[in-house]
């Protein structure tokens, strides 16, 4: 069997993905997460926090909620339906930190939870920080001219 024949066989046997349905689920569930964040901001502002503090508190609340839901295995069930709708908001980042930690908790706190916690999120942090530094340098150099 050639590579081309094998590729055709695999594509014929693979289940077809309902792209429209997947996109719609990602859109509305991701939108609900964003609405929850906006409600949290409005609630914190109603409690007397300034706008920037309310946004920070709302972000922290969403991270804590998604970490809790990940630990309870609820976030995974939501992600099965929403797909990328749960990855894009800040809740997806919290899930990517907590999920490996929960998965490896049987290996102990140091070698399991602490060592595996940043397996997925670590590269995002490293490259995000590095690209921020590069962008800052470019911005600074461009500002000199």
């Amino acid at each position: 069997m050639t590579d081309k024949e094998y590729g055709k066989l695999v594509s014929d046997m693979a289940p077809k993905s309902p792209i429209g349905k997947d996109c719609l689920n990602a859109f509305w569930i991701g939108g609900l997460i964003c609405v929850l964040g906006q409600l949290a901001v409005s609630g914190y502002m109603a409690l007397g926090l300034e706008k920037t503090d309310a946004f920070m508190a709302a972000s922290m609340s969403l991270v804590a909620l998604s970490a809790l839901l990940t630990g309870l295995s609820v976030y995974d069930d939501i992600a099965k339906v929403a797909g990328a709708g749960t990855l894009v908001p800040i809740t997806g980042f919290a899930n990517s930190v907590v999920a490996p930690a929960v998965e490896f908790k049987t290996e102990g706190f140091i070698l399991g939870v602490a060592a595996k916690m940043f397996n997925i999120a670590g590269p995002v942090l490293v490259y995000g920080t590095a690209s921020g530094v590069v962008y800052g340098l470019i911005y600074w150099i461009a500002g000199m001219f």
Side-chain angles (χ1 to χ4, degrees):
M1 180 178 284
T2 66
D3 288 343
K4 191 174 184 179
E5 291 171 335
Y6 180 73
K8 182 172 175 9
L9 177 68
V10 168
S11 66
D12 290 343
M13 305 231 13
K16 303 299 180 218
S17 176
I19 294 174
K21 179 183 166 195
D22 291 346
C23 289
L24 183 63
N25 284 340
F27 177 77
W28 76 266
I29 293 176
L32 282 178
I33 292 171
C34 294
V35 167
L36 181 63
Q38 185 60 51
L39 289 173
V41 168
S42 299
Y44 284 123
M45 288 178 71
L47 292 174
L49 289 179
E50 293 182 22
K51 188 175 183 176
T52 55
D53 294 336
F55 277 103
M56 183 176 60
S59 295
M60 291 178 356
S61 298
L62 287 174
V63 166
L65 180 62
S66 65
L68 176 67
L69 292 176
T70 299
L72 297 173
S73 296
V74 174
Y75 200 87
D76 293 336
D77 295 336
I78 296 169
K80 285 177 187 172
V81 176
T86 58
L87 297 177
V88 177
I90 194 171
T91 55
F93 177 74
N95 176 262
S96 70
V97 172
V98 175
V102 170
E103 184 178 342
F104 292 98
K105 70 181 176 186
T106 57
E107 294 182 21
F109 184 74
I110 301 297
L111 296 176
V113 174
K116 304 291 184 183
M117 187 179 299
F118 293 105
N119 273 3
I120 296 172
V124 174
L125 292 171
V126 169
Y127 287 108
T129 303
S131 64
V133 169
V134 169
Y135 175 78
L137 286 173
I138 292 170
Y139 184 77
W140 177 66
I141 291 170
M144 297 172 79
F145 300 106

